[in-house]
Amino acid sequence: MKDPSYLILPLAVIFIISAWNTYINTVYVGEIIQKVWEKASSFYLIIVPVLLFGLGFVRQKWKAAHQTS
């Protein structure tokens, strides 16, 4: 995307709606965060780095195997 300014308005609307819901029902949001955060954080903090490391390892081995032949 050459001009990211097209994303400003939709993101602003999303942030305003989420802020409004958080302000209205903070207890519910706290409970959801406790239930969901473990799964979401484990995905981004464990699974994604392991996948990237694995892809890098395979790519390195692939390049080394094809350089010798």
Side-chain angles (χ1 to χ4, degrees), residues 37 40-50:
W37 185 250
S41 66
S42 67
F43 177 73
Y44 288 108
L45 296 174
I46 297 171
I47 296 172
V48 170
V50 167

Side-chain angles (χ1 to χ4, degrees), residues 10-67:
L11 287 175
V13 170
I14 290 170
F15 290 148
I16 289 171
I17 291 171
S18 65
W20 185 288
N21 288 334
T22 303
Y23 177 73
I24 291 174
N25 200 349
T26 56
V27 175
Y28 174 73
V29 172
E31 290 175 1
I32 292 299
I33 288 174
Q34 288 177 351
K35 291 178 184 176
V36 174
W37 185 250
E38 180 181 358
K39 294 174 186 171
S41 66
S42 67
F43 177 73
Y44 288 108
L45 296 174
I46 297 171
I47 296 172
V48 170
V50 167
L51 286 175
L52 290 175
F53 178 74
L55 287 173
F57 184 76
V58 168
R59 184 175 176 198
Q60 182 181 13
K61 293 296 180 182
W62 180 272
K63 282 186 177 182
H66 282 74
Q67 285 179 353

